[in-house]
Amino acid sequence: MPGMEVRSIDYVPLRERHGKLWHLGPLWFMSNAQIATLAVGLISITGGGNLIWSLISIVAGTVLGTFFMAFHSAQGPQLGLPQMIQSRPQFGYVGALLVWLFAYVQYAGFNVFNTILAGQAMSTTAHGPVKWWVAGVTVLALVVALVGYDVIHRAEQVLTYTFLVVFGVFTVGVLATLHYPAGSFDLGGFKWTPFLAQFGVVAGYQISWAIYVSDYSRYLPPDVTVRRTFYWTYFGSALGGAWLMVLGALLAAWAGKDFDTIASINAAGDKVFSGFGAIVLVFAALGLVSVTALNMYGGSLTLISAADSLRKVRPTVGARLVTLAVTAGLSLVGALAATSHFLENFNNFLLLVLYLFIPWTAVNLMDYYVVRRGHYAIAEIFNPHGIYGRWGWRGITAYLVGFAAMVPFFSVGTLFTGVAAKALDGADISLFIGLPVSGALYWWLARTIDVDAEVELARAEAVRLEDPAAV
């Protein structure tokens, strides 16, 4: 297929670097600005919080959570590698399987939810069985993911411009035509538990993008600088995420117990003018196709990385095709088998994602920005007997200790409430425990790493890296 991406987990040589830095803005804006994100904005409203404090917690959670994911994005142009393969220096050649398993579960879980929403949106507007539309969305997303990096960027740019028009009108309509319950904007109606629950889910949702970000910046030349890469990723993701989460809170406050994602969007859209709800839903389905493609793409890279840790894999187009097909097949089976019970517990899934990736993001960022300061021997990342070892005991220890420290502070709906969370009346502050514990412990354990020797090796390898990688 013309224009199909040929690389996967391998290093992108400088001669193949291309693209504009601003492309990251539309990509991360549109990745977040899709109706699955609406569900993230419901937690406080459904937990008894009022609207104004829900909106404040959404903005605060977005500001904090996006901060961490955007710093991961800056790693891509500097290393020329996808995100999850960068876990090997911290967790080891085999040890990185620990976080890759969690990452793959995230990709699959989000795709089940995304394709079901897209199927419901198209069934409501164009009719036909939801399962048929789920299958169609999955196949279309598979094609986009197979063509790869460049077409994903282009698609997100086009969708962003269209979104600004369609959802701009829709948002104005929501603000101007909907009526909210008494006390919705009363600042005196503050409640800690729903506020922190909303804050934690929003921050977790934004941090959950951390496992994707270098995948979509790794083809950029390294001279784009860390700061500018951070800014374009941060503001794109934060604006897209906050916009849809705020819409979710507004719609939930308006609809009350009758809230349903598809039905509420359709009804609110029709208040602007008859039939506009259907227009919003059709466009929303296209947005869900794009983010499903992102999940398949990331899932493919994760599967190839995992397979390579067990047995050396040539990162060919064939490997991409097989792993994409497996990822698409699993998400399709999950979506067709999902029940309403699964959809009702999507918020619990978001919390579990937060718990699993808080320690990882702390370890990865501490290693990149503080311990090794961006200096990695790229060839050693692909060497099963290289300097990073098969088991990175420092990273694994910091991860497990940080996760264990969070457990007493977990508050996952009716599934589990930790001892500390119960003492806080159900409020979840595990985010503020896992980040510093894992990050600080890894920094302390990493004091024995001979960083200077690694830097010299990285410089020596860099001279020889370009020609073999290009071949």
Side-chain angles (χ1 to χ4, degrees):
M1 184 181 296
M4 183 183 295
E5 183 180 3
V6 297
R7 298 196 176 275
S8 57
I9 64 171
D10 45 332
Y11 170 76
V12 180
L14 297 178
R15 72 184 70 185
E16 294 181 19
R17 303 296 184 90
H18 63 280
K20 303 292 184 181
L21 186 59
W22 68 265
H23 292 172
L24 295 177
L27 183 131
W28 291 115
F29 175 86
M30 196 60 223
S31 297
N32 257 341
Q34 31 84 20
I35 62 172
T37 309
L38 282 172
V40 187
L42 311 180
I43 308 301
S44 180
I45 297 293
T46 57
N50 72 354
L51 180 56
I52 186 63
W53 283 110
S54 298
L55 300 181
I56 293 172
S57 62
I58 286 170
V59 172
T62 301
V63 168
L64 179 67
T66 313
F67 180 84
F68 295 98
M69 69 83 72
F71 268 120
H72 286 288
S73 181
Q75 298 169 354
Q78 306 308 314
L79 298 181
L81 295 173
Q83 191 67 65
M84 295 311 293
I85 202 75
Q86 296 174 30
S87 296
R88 281 179 175 171
Q90 302 99 50
F91 295 90
Y93 195 87
V94 177
L97 285 168
L98 170 71
V99 290
W100 291 343
L101 172 63
F102 299 152
Y104 196 73
V105 169
Q106 175 181 313
Y107 289 127
F110 276 110
N111 262 4
V112 170
F113 188 71
N114 292 336
T115 53
I116 290 174
L117 273 183
Q120 291 175 343
M122 292 307 299
S123 179
T124 299
T125 55
H127 307 296
V130 171
K131 291 184 178 182
W132 290 5
W133 286 111
V134 167
V137 166
T138 302
V139 171
L140 182 56
L142 173 62
V143 172
V144 173
L146 180 60
V147 180
Y149 182 94
D150 288 332
V151 74
I152 289 173
H153 271 276
R154 286 195 294 270
E156 297 291 48
Q157 290 164 30
V158 172
L159 287 171
T160 294
Y161 304 140
T162 312
F163 175 94
L164 293 174
V165 175
V166 175
F167 269 78
V169 174
F170 179 68
T171 303
V172 171
V174 167
L175 294 172
T177 63
L178 303 187
H179 301 286
Y180 305 101
S184 291
F185 298 96
D186 178 12
L187 289 171
F190 179 77
K191 296 179 182 179
W192 267 112
T193 301
F195 180 88
L196 287 176
Q198 182 69 77
F199 178 91
V201 170
V202 170
Y205 187 75
Q206 292 301 98
I207 289 174
S208 71
W209 288 108
I211 66 172
Y212 299 66
V213 282
S214 283
D215 299 353
Y216 299 100
S217 62
R218 73 189 196 275
Y219 280 89
L220 290 170
D223 61 3
V224 294
T225 76
V226 168
R227 178 178 298 180
R228 293 171 64 216
T229 307
F230 172 88
Y231 286 152
W232 277 107
T233 303
Y234 185 93
F235 289 107
S237 180
L239 290 173
W243 187 337
L244 267 292
M245 293 176 206
V246 165
L247 268 180
L250 291 171
L251 289 171
W254 163 67
K257 295 181 179 179
D258 296 327
F259 177 80
D260 173 84
T261 302
I262 302 301
S264 296
I265 290 174
N266 196 27
D270 283 347
K271 285 184 175 294
V272 178
F273 63 83
S274 180
F276 184 59
I279 294 174
V280 174
L281 287 176
V282 170
F283 176 77
L286 292 175
L288 289 165
V289 170
S290 72
V291 77
T292 300
L294 260 74
N295 284 322
M296 288 183 186
Y297 186 89
S300 167
L301 295 177
T302 300
L303 270 187
I304 295 173
S305 299
D308 186 69
S309 289
L310 300 174
R311 182 178 181 180
K312 201 66 179 174
V313 172
R314 289 189 63 199
T316 61
V317 174
R320 287 188 64 238
L321 176 59
V322 170
T323 52
L324 280 170
V326 170
T327 304
L330 288 175
S331 68
L332 179 60
V333 169
L336 296 180
T339 64
S340 59
H341 185 67
F342 169 84
L343 298 177
E344 290 167 3
N345 284 285
F346 181 64
N347 292 331
N348 292 336
F349 175 75
L350 291 176
L351 280 172
L352 293 174
V353 166
L354 166 67
Y355 299 149
L356 292 171
F357 285 103
I358 285 297
W360 171 80
T361 199
V363 168
N364 184 265
L365 292 178
M366 180 62 73
D367 186 65
Y368 185 88
Y369 287 101
V370 179
V371 176
R372 290 184 167 102
R373 299 186 180 183
H375 297 290
Y376 293 88
I378 303 298
E380 295 300 299
I381 291 176
F382 297 95
N383 182 357
H385 307 291
I387 61 171
Y388 299 122
R390 295 179 67 79
W391 299 93
W393 64 270
R394 298 177 183 87
I396 294 172
T397 300
Y399 180 95
L400 294 177
V401 170
F403 187 84
M406 293 169 62
V407 172
F409 298 88
F410 287 174
S411 182
V412 194
T414 58
L415 298 181
F416 176 79
T417 303
V419 175
K422 288 179 180 177
L424 295 170
D425 198 25
D428 189 330
I429 61 169
S430 57
L431 169 71
F432 302 104
I433 306 300
L435 279 172
V437 169
S438 291
L441 179 57
Y442 182 78
W443 171 80
W444 186 76
L445 294 173
R447 292 177 305 163
T448 58
I449 296 176
D450 189 348
V451 176
D452 291 336
E454 289 188 9
V455 170
E456 289 302 316
L457 179 59
R459 288 173 177 167
E461 284 186 348
V463 177
R464 307 189 301 268
L465 191 61
E466 297 302 315
D467 290 339
V471 173

